[in-house]
Every structure is written in structure tokens, then in C-alpha cells.
Amino acid sequence: MKILDKYIIKSYLITFITVFVILFFIFVLQGIWLFISELAGKDLDLWTIIKFLSYYAPTIVPLVLPLSILLAGIMTFGSFAENYEFAAMKSSGISLQRAMKMLTITIGILAFVSFFFANNVIPDAQYKFINLRKTIVQQKPAMAITEGQFNTIGNSNIKVDKKSGDNGEFLEGIIMHIKNTNYGLGANTIIKAKKGLLSSEDNSNSLQLELYDGYYYEDLQPTKFEERDKLPFAKSSFKKYILTIDLTQLNQGEMDQGDITSEKMLTVPELSYTVDSLQKNYNKDVVSFADNLTIRNDNLFNKKPVVSLLAPPKKDNHTKDILSLFSKNEKIQLIAMAKNNINSADFNIQNSKLDLDIKSKNINSHWLAIHEKFVMAYSCLLMFFIGAPLGAIIRKGGLGLPIVFAMLIFISFHFTNTFGRKLAQEATISPFLGAWMASILMTPFAIMLTYRATNDIGLMINLDWLTVPIQKLFSKINPSNN
């Protein structure tokens, strides 16, 4: 390696490490702010808090790393151009491509390391982070519930007005919404209580909630479908009521840095195996739903009670209205039966559609998790080939103009990436396109900047190919203006 390559790599790495440490510290502080309500006032020791933040910290690397590479590239190469170091290189016959050669290899190695980090370190950190939160909740049960807001735990939403006690185990003003997955959408059970006591046992995956002096409201599901429109419910009061809350899913309402789900804890081989299993189950469910609907309709038309209920119609080859063959009472029974069958079929279809949509979104989330590991590695190279040429073009180092350019570019990249991921999760576009949308849109920009920087063209774009034909057209229409 020549002295020039060592100098360029050293200058870039010093800037990159400095920027990365600063941005990483800022994002960690943001994480502390997100979890301050869970950490403050829980009597946690310093070592537990350090582990908590260290397990959370790897999740912010996918945000910090590309931005650091982009900003370091603009600052380093902008400083070279501002101090006429590039001019000295070119006067010695060293082109920009040659100056970037060894640094490009270095960034390639960094991209490979980032893929290993995303595939191995982040899933392991996510797993340990969830387990540590569960351990803290077991030691401090009230951590799972925040005052004055609804907290989602499993299939329940819990809100308390006030917590007291050494560990916050004494609750006041409790409202619970419990969803029964067997009955479809909505909160099927609502519980209100004046006071409550929260407790847990060591090595247990559940919390025990004792409620005192409250009311219990539950939606009822009649066996007859036509009675469901009346929306019946049951109400009862209690002096003491004991509930068990599952801890396998913690409150994730405030976790903005990539909501922690199972696919975040898997490596690429594990994700591929899981996606294959989920897809096979999804296909089986689709076939099973179609077969069950067909069999159900066949049974409806072949039921013997229906045949015995109605008098056999008279044979009349010239009858166009089949209802005219039956009496008035029989017509009413037929229409009511058909309406009930249609409503029942529609209800089953909507429930099955909802279940299939949820499973489809789960499959898309796993595909996104696979692609995002590769996107992280590619974004390192992409941001380098945007930042380095842009710094050479604007010829400005330091922390002024480079930060403005870096933030604009990275915000556009991050917004497009988030937008594409949301569309992919909703099955509007494919997971591949959703994960790679920002990279696909930014790649031509990186190629253009690299081309213009290596050919000393600058940022000005020549639009004569578009404006000249228009000017000629207007000159032919109005020759007097010439």
C-alpha cells in the first residue's frame, strides 16, 4: 500500500470514527429517553442499566452506520478538494478513481462486516434485550404497566390511573380491554376495578393481577346468527377477581427503533427456514378454506331436513319463477334460510380473509428481515459513492455544508426506505421492492455523482438537450421574434 493510500484511508477513518461515535451517542441518548419511564424509579442497579442499553444499542447501528459513512465521505473528500490536495494529486497523474481505489476496498470490507453484524449480532442482542426486559418485569412487575396510558400485553390493553408501593405493585383506577380471538375483532371483555395488586413469581412467564371492587362486561355470541345483530352482553360485579397475564409479549408501544418481533431475532438461514414453513402453512390454509367453503355449501343444498320441510314441487317445465311453486309460508322459510346462509358464509369469509391477511403480513415481515440484512451492507457502499464524489464536487470540508447535504440525502433515503417497508408489510408491493426501494432510487444518483466527480463536471446539469429543441420549435412558430 502506497503512502497516499495510507493517508487517504487514515484521514477517512479518523473522520468516520469521530462521526460514528457522536451519532451513536446521540441515538443512545434517544433510547434512554424512550425507556426512561421503564428505568427510572425501579431501583435497578447500574450493571442492569448498562446491560439494558448495551443490548439495545446494536439496533441503532443500521441507522448510524450509513449516515456516518455518508458524512465522513463528504467531509474527508470535501477537505481534500478545499485544501487543493486533489489538485496536487491530479498534477502528479493520480486520478480520483485511483485515489478512491483502496478506500473503496476498505468500505467493501466494512460492508461485509456490517452484514455479519446485522445477521448475527443484532438478532442475538434482540433476544437478550427481550429476556432482560422480562427479567426486570419479573423483579419489578409494575414495569409492564405505565401510568395514564394503555399498555398492550398479549391480547389485553391495561390502563391504570396511579401506582404506589415500593415496586409499584398497588394499582388504582384500572381499566382492561381483553380481546377474545375466537370471536373476531374488538374488545370482547372490559373490566373496571377500583384497586388492584400486581405480583409475579421467579422464573415465571406470567404476572398475577388481583382486582378488587369492580365490574365485568363481556360481549356474548349467540348460537343463532340472526340474534347477533342485537349485540347482547353480560354484566357482573365482583369483590375480588384474579387474572393471569402472559409475559411472552411485553408492551411495545413506545419502541420506535424497529419494533421487536420474532423475525428480528433470526439469522438469514433461520429466516429462510421459517419463511418456507410459513408459506407452506399459508398455502394449506388457503386450500383448506376453499375446500371447507365448498363442502359447506354442498351440505347446505343436500340437507335432508330442508327437503322434508318443503312440499315437493309440482313438475312444470314451463315455470320460470321457481318460488311460484311453493306456498307463501314456504317462500318465507326459503328466503330466511337463504339470507342466514349468505350472512353466515360472508361472516366466515371475512374472518378467514382477516386470518390470511395476518399470516401474509407475517410472511412479508420475514422476507423484509432477510432483505434488510443485505440492504444494510449495500447501503454502506451506496452512501460512500454518494458522499465521496459529492465532497469532491462541493469542495467544502468541516461541519457546515457537508452536514446539510448529508442530512438531506440520508433523510430522503430513510424516508423512502420506511415508506417501502410499510407498503411491503401491507402486501401492496413485493418485500424485495419494499426493502430495496430506497437503494434502487439512490443508485443512479450515486453513479451520476461519481461520473461527474471523476470527470470534473461539477453539479451543474446541462439541459440543452431538452431546451434547445423547444427553442427551435418556438422560433419556427413565431419567426418574427428572431
Side-chain angles (χ1 to χ4, degrees):
M1 184 181 297
K2 295 185 178 181
I3 297 177
L4 178 63
D5 295 326
K6 294 181 179 179
Y7 173 71
I8 293 175
I9 292 175
K10 179 182 178 181
S11 300
Y12 181 87
L13 289 181
I14 291 175
T15 306
F16 168 74
I17 293 173
T18 303
V19 171
F20 182 85
V21 171
I22 294 173
L23 293 177
F24 189 80
F25 180 73
I26 293 173
F27 278 89
V28 168
L29 288 179
Q30 182 191 17
I32 295 175
W33 183 256
L34 286 174
F35 298 108
I36 191 66
S37 60
E38 299 183 4
L39 297 176
K42 301 296 189 300
D43 295 330
L44 300 177
D45 58 276
L46 180 61
W47 177 242
T48 302
I49 296 176
I50 292 175
K51 288 197 299 182
F52 188 93
L53 295 177
S54 63
Y55 294 153
Y56 168 76
T59 62
I60 66 177
V61 172
L63 282 176
V64 176
L65 184 60
L67 179 58
S68 301
I69 292 175
L70 174 64
L71 186 56
I74 297 177
M75 292 175 62
T76 302
F77 282 77
S79 178
F80 287 161
E82 186 179 18
N83 297 324
Y84 300 99
E85 292 179 87
F86 275 141
M89 295 179 195
K90 292 176 182 178
S91 64
S92 302
I94 300 174
S95 63
L96 181 61
Q97 299 99 311
R98 172 62 187 82
M100 293 174 58
K101 181 179 177 181
M102 294 305 298
L103 188 56
T104 302
I105 296 175
T106 304
I107 298 299
I109 296 174
L110 181 61
F112 178 80
V113 173
S114 68
F115 173 78
F116 175 82
F117 187 88
N119 189 49
N120 296 276
V121 178
I122 293 180
D124 186 58
Q126 293 278 21
Y127 176 78
K128 292 180 178 179
F129 182 73
I130 288 296
N131 280 283
L132 181 61
R133 289 192 68 191
K134 186 176 70 173
T135 302
I136 294 175
V137 170
Q138 289 172 348
Q139 296 174 354
K140 310 287 183 179
M143 179 183 172
I145 300 175
T146 304
E147 286 186 2
Q149 68 184 44
F150 280 99
N151 303 265
T152 302
I153 304 178
N155 62 342
S156 302
N157 286 327
I158 305 175
K159 177 179 177 290
V160 299
D161 295 335
K162 185 180 179 181
K163 297 190 300 184
S164 59
D166 295 336
N167 296 324
E169 67 273 16
F170 298 107
L171 312 177
E172 296 181 13
I174 304 164
I175 299 177
M176 293 188 64
H177 293 179
I178 303 176
K179 178 182 175 182
N180 191 330
T181 55
N182 295 328
Y183 293 157
L185 298 174
N188 304 107
T189 302
I190 299 177
I191 301 176
K192 294 184 177 181
K194 294 181 180 179
K195 296 182 178 180
L197 175 63
L198 196 62
S199 61
S200 66
E201 297 179 358
D202 295 337
N203 300 324
S204 175
N205 289 326
S206 62
L207 292 177
Q208 182 172 303
L209 179 60
E210 298 181 9
L211 303 176
Y212 303 96
D213 298 329
Y215 294 90
Y216 183 96
Y217 307 87
E218 182 178 7
D219 292 336
L220 299 180
Q221 298 294 324
T223 55
K224 295 183 180 180
F225 187 80
E226 60 272 12
E227 295 182 2
R228 295 180 183 178
D229 293 335
K230 299 179 181 180
L231 302 177
F233 74 97
K235 174 184 176 181
S236 62
S237 61
F238 57 84
K239 291 294 182 181
K240 181 179 179 180
Y241 188 78
I242 299 177
L243 280 172
T244 301
I245 302 174
D246 189 10
L247 282 180
T248 55
Q249 294 182 356
L250 298 174
N251 177 26
Q252 300 174 11
E254 298 179 353
M255 304 188 70
D256 185 40
Q257 298 296 332
D259 44 339
I260 298 179
T261 50
S262 59
E263 65 269 12
K264 299 289 185 180
M265 305 178 190
L266 302 177
T267 62
V268 171
E270 293 170 343
L271 284 168
S272 300
Y273 178 82
T274 304
V275 166
D276 184 63
S277 300
L278 291 174
Q279 189 65 52
K280 288 180 179 179
N281 292 333
Y282 178 83
N283 295 336
K284 289 180 181 179
D285 289 341
V286 172
V287 175
S288 176
F289 166 68
D291 291 342
N292 290 338
L293 188 63
T294 303
I295 294 172
R296 182 178 179 277
N297 291 333
D298 290 342
N299 292 336
L300 287 174
F301 290 110
N302 294 324
K303 279 183 176 179
K304 293 183 179 180
V306 175
V307 178
S308 61
L309 177 67
L310 305 174
K314 297 179 181 179
K315 293 182 180 181
D316 188 353
N317 297 330
H318 302 286
T319 301
K320 296 182 179 180
D321 185 7
I322 194 171
L323 289 178
S324 63
L325 300 176
F326 302 96
S327 65
K328 183 178 180 180
N329 291 333
E330 292 172 344
K331 290 179 181 179
I332 294 173
Q333 294 177 10
L334 277 174
I335 294 174
M337 186 182 302
K339 182 180 178 180
N340 291 337
N341 290 337
I342 292 173
N343 290 335
S344 178
D346 180 68
F347 180 78
N348 291 331
I349 290 172
Q350 293 300 326
N351 282 346
S352 298
K353 182 177 181 297
L354 177 63
D355 182 61
L356 292 176
D357 287 342
I358 293 174
K359 292 180 178 179
S360 177
K361 291 178 181 179
N362 189 29
I363 294 174
N364 290 339
S365 297
H366 282 76
W367 274 115
L368 283 171
I370 293 176
H371 290 298
E372 284 173 355
K373 298 180 188 299
F374 294 94
V375 169
M376 181 178 173
Y378 180 75
S379 65
C380 295
L381 292 171
L382 179 64
M383 290 301 152
F384 173 73
F385 281 104
I386 291 177
L390 185 60
I393 291 174
I394 64 176
R395 299 180 180 180
K396 206 71 176 175
L399 296 174
L401 191 61
I403 290 183
V404 176
F405 277 100
M407 293 306 299
L408 289 176
I409 293 171
F410 184 76
I411 288 174
S412 302
F413 177 81
H414 182 63
F415 174 79
T416 307
N417 193 28
T418 303
F419 179 72
R421 186 168 62 249
K422 294 297 182 183
L423 290 179
Q425 288 176 344
E426 298 297 327
T428 305
I429 58 178
S430 66
F432 175 82
L433 183 59
W436 289 90
M437 179 183 292
S439 300
I440 293 173
L441 294 178
M442 286 289 185
T443 297
F445 182 58
I447 295 174
M448 182 197 72
L449 286 177
T450 303
Y451 174 78
R452 302 183 78 84
T454 53
N455 291 277
D456 291 328
I457 298 177
L459 283 177
M460 298 300 295
I461 300 176
N462 188 2
L463 297 178
D464 290 343
W465 61 274
L466 179 62
T467 58
V468 170
I470 297 176
Q471 292 174 355
K472 290 181 179 180
L473 179 63
F474 277 102
S475 63
K476 290 180 181 180
I477 296 175
N478 297 317
S480 59
N481 294 333
N482 296 334

